[in-house]
Amino acid sequence: MAVERGKDSPLLPTSPAQVAGTNGNANGAGLAPSNANYRLRLNPNQDHRADNYDDLGMEFTPLLFSSLERYLPPNLLDVPRDTKYKYMRDILRRYSTEGERTREQKHKEYRQKIVSNYQPLYRELYTMNPSMFFVQSFLKAFNANEKNKDESIKSIMSEPAPGVYTFDMLQPRFCEMLLSEVENFEKWVHETKFRIMRPNTMNKFGAVLDDFGMQGTLDKLMEDFIRHISKIFFPDVGGYSLDSHHGFVVEYGMDRDVELGFHVDDSEVTLNVCLGKQFTGGELFFRGVRCEKHVNSETHPEEIFDYSHSPGRAIIHRGRHRHGARATTSGHRINLLLWCRSSVFRELKKHKKEFINFCGECKREKKARLLHSVAARKKELLVGEGDVAS
């Protein structure tokens, strides 16, 4: 079993074991503590509306700050943004090594070199435009008032297998434009002989959309749409706190990658949308959700599910849902992938054993232990009744 990985995993905040408190600043004056005792809350304030950090030139992704802000101590939630930013930045620096920060800086320089030289074919793709990107049913679901939005989103979803959801998402014209943009980028790479990073260790073809300028568009896609879907369907893996992503396209065909082996993704939640073109084969096959401990355990009949791609239609699932792609037997298939990650969940997972509740095998083991315990207790009671009768 392979773990499909992209680039570096997101950086992690301070330990949730060190819960709320701002170094004894009881008056809540809104000043970040002056010593090293930085703390976060164990549970986020879900009602707090976080600030936007997009306009700040930062060493960490802006979405990470927006997500982490909900975990700040109560007396820091409503202080000036600059105060919160410095407080969270110092926490993140303590939990990221110099090597990690150096790699991140080098990757930023790599991206900047591409963006400075590559000329986009369709500049309108580089800013989120929901009415141009999404089909009407998807837009209508998200335009519902806040009170009814969850039910509205659920109404456009199909669940063909437990934990796997499908829905119509992208307009045909958008798919065509994105395919042309990727082809244009690949042409530029070939002509300039620029050495690019491929999406992950398992795909030799495809492109990382974030690397040639589409990070902002994909940030908005995750923040405004996928995070809300994930909050509804995947709260057990941090769907409510997605704060970073890895966005890319993969290409399959006789002159591209043909198939993809059995694996799990380096994500909490994965969005997968077929862009086209004409093809046969390439079905996804799913074989149950597993934690790290049980990733190679056997598959049970009820966990077997196969999915056939259709252009513009999305499928969304937990990253730990084991899957693969069968061979594309003819034509050319290109898919958009968005690996959505929660640095908060990844840190919490280290400290709370119940976070493995999403794993199918852990659930089976727990059920077996419970049945064994009940059977043993019944036996004890029966023995006790026999003793009384004699």
Side-chain angles (χ1 to χ4, degrees), residues 205-258:
F205 296 88
V208 180
L209 299 177
D210 299 308
D211 287 349
F212 63 92
M214 297 194 71
Q215 182 175 7
T217 298
L218 297 180
D219 274 343
K220 296 298 289 182
L221 172 60
M222 183 186 72
E223 185 177 11
D224 295 347
F225 300 96
I226 305 308
R227 188 157 64 190
H228 199 121
I229 293 172
S230 300
K231 181 182 70 173
I232 298 171
F233 297 110
F234 309 117
D236 55 345
V237 293
Y240 53 86
S241 61
L242 301 177
D243 53 33
S244 68
H245 73 265
H246 177 49
F248 55 97
V249 293
V250 290
E251 302 177 47
Y252 294 92
M254 300 309 293
D255 58 342
R256 293 290 188 267
D257 292 315
V258 176

Side-chain angles (χ1 to χ4, degrees), residues 281-327:
E283 299 87 358
L284 288 179
F285 58 92
F286 290 87
R287 298 296 184 264
V289 183
R290 294 292 187 273
C291 64
E292 289 87 345
K293 177 183 175 182
H294 295 117
V295 70
N296 291 314
S297 62
E298 66 177 308
T299 299
H300 299 270
E302 65 273 15
E303 296 177 316
I304 297 174
F305 171 64
D306 289 7
Y307 172 78
S308 297
H309 291 287
S310 176
R313 190 163 178 82
I315 183 168
I316 191 168
H317 57 85
R318 294 173 182 83
R320 299 295 309 185
H321 204 139
R322 301 181 301 177
H323 62 284
R326 293 199 170 86

Side-chain angles (χ1 to χ4, degrees), residues 182-195:
V182 172
E183 289 177 4
N184 190 58
F185 176 67
E186 293 278 10
K187 180 182 177 182
W188 174 82
V189 169
H190 178 74
E191 291 176 348
T192 60
K193 294 181 170 54
F194 192 95
R195 187 174 180 181

Side-chain angles (χ1 to χ4, degrees), residues 328-342:
T328 298
T329 52
S330 69
H332 194 195
R333 177 172 68 85
I334 302 178
N335 281 53
L336 165 65
L337 275 295
L338 193 69
W339 287 355
C340 302
R341 297 158 172 162
S342 167

Side-chain angles (χ1 to χ4, degrees), residues 95-110:
Y95 278 80
S96 64
T97 66
E98 185 65 31
E100 287 174 330
R101 291 198 294 273
T102 299
R103 285 195 299 274
E104 182 66 21
Q105 182 58 37
K106 286 183 177 179
H107 195 214
K108 282 186 178 181
E109 293 171 0
Y110 160 80

